[in-house]
């Protein structure tokens, strides 16, 4: 059945990449795409949202959303199990993600991530970390959203990792809220570990494996935001983690 599902979806993937991808790229490289907006959404963000929603359908996911994302300058924080988390999030709205530098080298996804405004971080480099923090503060002060995975890396999907508090510092400096976002796969989250990267699995390995998976639901839960305060980044990190953990456990 996995082989049959993959063969069934390959033509849809080909159309999505061969027809709709050039349309997306044409919009993203157009300088005015971030200035043209209607209903509070710029053309740039609208195209990313629609393309990501289409890609989720190609992979057999039916996306369901609960809650409402905050507009404007917000630090969105989400749990992380696979590359498709970014597409699931972007199926609802566009925000520039902070990601590991290796993503830039991933086939297709890295290229699209760069066009979409991803901020890359070289792990282990303090200079890179300072640069990332600076870019995050600038974007938030300009009224633009930023999205992060505060666990710092993908997990097995069996539970949440530690939320690193320092990634919340830009929200404190820019005085903007953090909104936790719970990403869940399968009925009641029963496919969380399936969607997650298997041990030593590459991006392409995960990509092909997910293409052959059964159709299932993917949920995006926009949760109660956490306001910046003098308590600082640790309180924000703990509050966001607790709310995401509670949503994943429902």
């Amino acid at each position: 059945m996995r082989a049959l599902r993959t063969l069934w979806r390959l033509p849809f993937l080909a159309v999505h990449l061969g027809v709709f991808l050039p349309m997306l790229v044409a919009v993203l490289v157009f300088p005015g795409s971030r200035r043209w907006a209607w209903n509070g959404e710029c053309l740039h963000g609208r195209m990313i949202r629609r393309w990501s929603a289409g890609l989720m359908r190609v992979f057999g996911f039916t996306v369901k959303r609960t809650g409402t994302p905050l507009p404007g300058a917000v630090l969105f924080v989400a749990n992380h199990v696979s590359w498709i988390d970014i597409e699931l999030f972007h199926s609802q709205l566009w925000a520039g993600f902070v990601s590991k530098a290796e993503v830039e080298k991933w086939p297709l996804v890295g290229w699209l991530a760069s066009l979409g405004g991803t901020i890359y971080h070289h792990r282990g480099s303090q200079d890179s970390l300072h640069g990332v923090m600076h870019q995050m503060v600038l974007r938030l002060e300009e009224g633009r959203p930023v999205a992060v995975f505060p666990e710092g890396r993908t997990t097995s999907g069996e539970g949440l990792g530690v939320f690193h508090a320092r990634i919340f510092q830009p929200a404190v400096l820019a005085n903007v809220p953090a909104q936790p976002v719970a990403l869940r796969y399968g009925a009641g989250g029963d496919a969380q570990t399936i969607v997650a990267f298997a041990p030593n699995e590459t991006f392409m390995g995960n990509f092909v494996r997910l293409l052959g998976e059964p159709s299932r639901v993917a949920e995006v839960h926009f949760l109660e935001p956490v306001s910046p305060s003098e308590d600082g980044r640790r309180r924000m990190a703990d509050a966001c983690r607790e709310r995401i953990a509670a949503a994943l456990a429902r």
Side-chain angles (χ1 to χ4, degrees), residues 101 120-133 135:
Y120 294 110
H121 170 50
H122 295 268
R123 287 176 178 169
S125 170
Q126 286 299 313
D127 289 340
S128 173
L129 179 60
H130 292 154
V132 167
M133 295 293 187
Q135 290 186 62

Side-chain angles (χ1 to χ4, degrees), residues 1-247:
M1 290 303 295
R2 175 179 295 278
L4 289 176
R5 284 191 294 266
T6 300
L7 289 174
W8 168 255
R9 290 169 181 164
L10 276 175
F12 295 101
L13 179 63
V15 170
H16 198 66
L17 298 180
V19 177
F20 298 114
L21 179 58
M23 296 170 59
L24 172 66
V25 172
V27 170
L28 296 187
V29 300
F30 180 63
S33 64
R34 295 190 185 187
R35 295 193 300 269
W36 292 357
W38 62 95
N39 293 330
E41 184 180 31
C42 67
L43 177 61
H44 182 100
R46 182 179 291 265
M47 286 298 294
I48 290 176
R49 178 172 58 80
R50 290 189 173 182
W51 196 85
S52 296
L55 188 64
M56 294 299 295
R57 287 194 294 271
V58 168
F59 277 78
F61 287 103
T62 299
V63 178
K64 295 184 178 181
R65 185 180 93 182
T66 60
T68 303
L70 294 177
V74 185
L75 180 66
F76 291 103
V77 297
N79 56 301
H80 194 24
V81 296
S82 176
W83 64 272
I84 207 166
D85 295 335
I86 296 177
E87 300 304 327
L88 176 56
F89 181 93
H90 277 164
S91 72
Q92 303 305 305
L93 81 158
W94 168 77
F97 266 87
V98 175
S99 181
K100 62 182 181 180
E102 292 87 339
V103 170
E104 190 174 11
K105 299 178 182 178
W106 285 359
L108 182 62
V109 171
W111 181 51
L112 289 174
S114 297
L115 288 177
T118 297
I119 302 171
Y120 294 110
H121 170 50
H122 295 268
R123 287 176 178 169
S125 170
Q126 286 299 313
D127 289 340
S128 173
L129 179 60
H130 292 154
V132 167
M133 295 293 187
H134 179 66
Q135 290 186 62
M136 290 174 66
V137 172
L138 286 179
R139 291 192 187 188
L140 292 170
E141 288 180 341
E142 291 171 356
R144 298 160 60 187
V146 176
V148 298
F149 297 119
E151 292 163 293
R153 61 184 68 245
T154 56
T155 69
S156 65
E158 296 176 349
L160 283 177
V162 175
F163 277 23
H164 298 288
R166 63 185 177 184
I167 201 65
F168 290 81
Q169 185 65 20
V172 174
L173 294 175
N175 195 35
V176 302
Q179 184 167 25
V181 184
L183 306 177
R184 191 165 70 162
Y185 300 94
D190 63 2
Q192 207 77 353
T193 57
I194 296 173
V195 173
F197 280 102
N200 301 317
E201 188 175 47
T202 64
F203 162 73
M204 283 305 300
N206 187 267
F207 185 98
V208 173
R209 182 169 61 80
L210 292 186
L211 194 62
E213 280 291 314
S215 296
R216 51 175 52 101
V217 67
E219 302 173 357
V220 187
H221 299 265
F222 289 95
L223 306 171
E224 181 183 354
V226 177
S227 301
S229 72
E230 295 180 358
D231 294 12
R233 59 194 193 183
R234 183 72 263 168
R235 185 194 66 82
M236 295 182 72
D238 290 343
C240 286
R241 188 183 185 282
E242 289 172 4
R243 292 173 191 182
I244 291 176

